[in-house]
Coordinates of all heavy atoms in Angstrom, one line a residue:
G501 N -0.8 22.7 -87.5 CA -2.2 22.6 -87.5 C -2.9 22.9 -88.9 O -4.1 22.8 -88.9
V502 N -2.1 23.1 -89.9 CA -2.7 23.4 -91.2 C -3.4 22.1 -91.8 O -4.5 22.2 -92.3 CB -1.7 23.9 -92.2 CG1 -2.3 24.0 -93.6 CG2 -1.2 25.3 -91.8
A503 N -2.7 21.0 -91.7 CA -3.1 19.8 -92.2 C -3.5 18.8 -91.2 O -2.8 18.7 -90.1 CB -2.0 19.2 -93.2
A504 N -4.5 17.9 -91.5 CA -4.8 16.8 -90.6 C -3.8 15.7 -90.9 O -3.5 15.3 -92.0 CB -6.2 16.4 -90.9
R505 N -3.3 15.1 -89.8 CA -2.2 14.1 -89.9 C -2.6 12.9 -90.8 O -1.8 12.4 -91.6 CB -1.8 13.6 -88.5 CG -0.8 12.5 -88.5 CD 0.5 12.9 -89.1 NE 1.4 11.8 -89.3 CZ 1.4 11.0 -90.4 NH1 0.5 11.3 -91.4 NH2 2.2 10.0 -90.6
D506 N -3.8 12.5 -90.7 CA -4.2 11.3 -91.4 C -4.9 11.6 -92.7 O -5.6 10.7 -93.3 CB -5.1 10.4 -90.5 CG -6.4 11.2 -90.1 OD1 -6.4 12.4 -90.3 OD2 -7.3 10.5 -89.6
R507 N -4.7 12.8 -93.2 CA -5.4 13.2 -94.5 C -4.5 13.8 -95.5 O -4.8 14.9 -96.1 CB -6.6 14.2 -94.1 CG -7.6 13.7 -93.1 CD -8.6 14.7 -92.8 NE -9.6 14.9 -93.8 CZ -10.5 15.9 -93.8 NH1 -10.5 16.8 -92.8 NH2 -11.3 16.0 -94.8
V508 N -3.3 13.2 -95.6 CA -2.3 13.8 -96.5 C -2.1 12.8 -97.7 O -1.8 11.6 -97.5 CB -0.9 13.9 -95.8 CG1 0.1 14.5 -96.7 CG2 -1.1 14.8 -94.5
C509 N -2.2 13.4 -98.9 CA -1.9 12.6 -100.1 C -0.8 13.3 -100.9 O -0.5 14.5 -100.6 CB -3.1 12.5 -101.0 SG -4.3 11.3 -100.4
L510 N -0.1 12.6 -101.8 CA 1.0 13.1 -102.5 C 0.8 13.0 -104.0 O 0.4 11.9 -104.5 CB 2.3 12.3 -102.1 CG 3.6 12.6 -102.7 CD1 4.0 14.1 -102.6 CD2 4.7 11.7 -102.1
F511 N 0.9 14.1 -104.7 CA 0.7 14.1 -106.2 C 1.8 14.9 -106.8 O 2.1 16.0 -106.4 CB -0.7 14.6 -106.5 CG -0.8 15.1 -108.0 CD1 -0.5 14.2 -109.0 CD2 -1.2 16.4 -108.3 CE1 -0.7 14.6 -110.3 CE2 -1.4 16.8 -109.6 CZ -1.1 15.9 -110.6
G512 N 2.4 14.4 -107.9 CA 3.4 15.1 -108.6 C 3.5 14.6 -110.1 O 2.9 13.6 -110.4
W513 N 4.1 15.4 -110.9 CA 4.2 15.1 -112.3 C 5.7 15.2 -112.7 O 6.4 16.1 -112.3 CB 3.4 16.1 -113.2 CG 3.2 15.7 -114.6 CD1 4.1 16.0 -115.6 CD2 2.2 14.9 -115.1 NE1 3.6 15.5 -116.8 CE2 2.4 14.8 -116.5 CE3 1.1 14.3 -114.6 CZ2 1.6 14.1 -117.4 CZ3 0.2 13.6 -115.4 CH2 0.5 13.5 -116.8
S514 N 6.2 14.3 -113.5 CA 7.6 14.2 -114.0 C 8.5 13.9 -112.8 O 8.3 12.9 -112.2 CB 8.0 15.5 -114.7 OG 9.2 15.4 -115.4
Y515 N 9.4 14.8 -112.5 CA 10.2 14.5 -111.2 C 9.2 14.4 -110.0 O 9.4 13.6 -109.1 CB 11.3 15.5 -111.0 CG 11.9 15.2 -109.6 CD1 12.9 14.3 -109.4 CD2 11.5 16.0 -108.5 CE1 13.4 14.0 -108.2 CE2 12.0 15.7 -107.2 CZ 13.0 14.7 -107.1 OH 13.5 14.4 -105.8
G516 N 8.2 15.3 -110.1 CA 7.2 15.2 -109.0 C 6.5 13.9 -108.9 O 6.2 13.4 -107.9
G517 N 6.4 13.3 -110.1 CA 5.8 11.9 -110.1 C 6.7 10.9 -109.5 O 6.3 10.0 -108.8
Y518 N 8.1 11.1 -109.8 CA 9.0 10.2 -109.1 C 9.0 10.5 -107.6 O 9.0 9.5 -106.8 CB 10.5 10.5 -109.6 CG 11.5 9.9 -108.7 CD1 11.8 8.6 -108.7 CD2 12.1 10.7 -107.7 CE1 12.7 8.0 -107.8 CE2 13.0 10.2 -106.8 CZ 13.3 8.8 -106.9 OH 14.2 8.3 -106.0
A519 N 8.9 11.7 -107.2 CA 8.8 12.0 -105.7 C 7.6 11.4 -105.1 O 7.6 11.0 -103.9 CB 8.9 13.5 -105.5
A520 N 6.5 11.3 -105.9 CA 5.3 10.7 -105.3 C 5.5 9.2 -105.1 O 5.2 8.6 -104.1 CB 4.1 10.9 -106.3
L521 N 6.2 8.5 -106.1 CA 6.4 7.1 -105.9 C 7.5 6.9 -104.9 O 7.4 5.9 -104.1 CB 6.9 6.5 -107.3 CG 5.9 6.4 -108.4 CD1 6.6 5.8 -109.7 CD2 4.7 5.6 -108.0
A522 N 8.5 7.8 -104.8 CA 9.5 7.6 -103.7 C 8.8 7.8 -102.3 O 9.2 7.1 -101.4 CB 10.6 8.7 -103.9
G523 N 7.8 8.7 -102.2 CA 7.1 8.8 -101.0 C 6.3 7.6 -100.6 O 6.3 7.2 -99.5
A524 N 5.8 6.9 -101.7 CA 5.0 5.7 -101.4 C 5.9 4.5 -101.0 O 5.4 3.7 -100.3 CB 4.3 5.3 -102.7
T525 N 7.2 4.5 -101.4 CA 8.0 3.4 -101.1 C 9.0 3.7 -99.9 O 9.3 2.8 -99.2 CB 8.9 3.0 -102.3 OG1 9.5 4.2 -102.8 CG2 8.0 2.4 -103.4
L526 N 9.4 5.0 -99.8 CA 10.4 5.3 -98.8 C 9.8 5.8 -97.5 O 10.3 5.5 -96.4 CB 11.4 6.4 -99.3 CG 12.2 5.9 -100.5 CD1 13.0 7.1 -101.0 CD2 13.2 4.8 -100.1
T527 N 8.7 6.5 -97.6 CA 8.0 7.0 -96.4 C 6.5 6.7 -96.5 O 5.6 7.6 -96.5 CB 8.2 8.5 -96.2 OG1 7.8 9.2 -97.4 CG2 9.7 8.8 -95.9
P528 N 6.1 5.4 -96.6 CA 4.7 5.1 -96.9 C 3.8 5.5 -95.7 O 2.6 5.7 -96.0 CB 4.7 3.6 -97.1 CG 5.9 3.1 -96.4 CD 6.9 4.2 -96.6

Side-chain angles (χ1 to χ4, degrees):
V502 173
R505 173 63 191 87
D506 59 348
R507 303 177 74 189
V508 182
C509 284
L510 179 56
F511 162 54
W513 192 270
S514 192
Y515 173 81
Y518 165 80
L521 292 180
T525 54
L526 297 173
T527 55

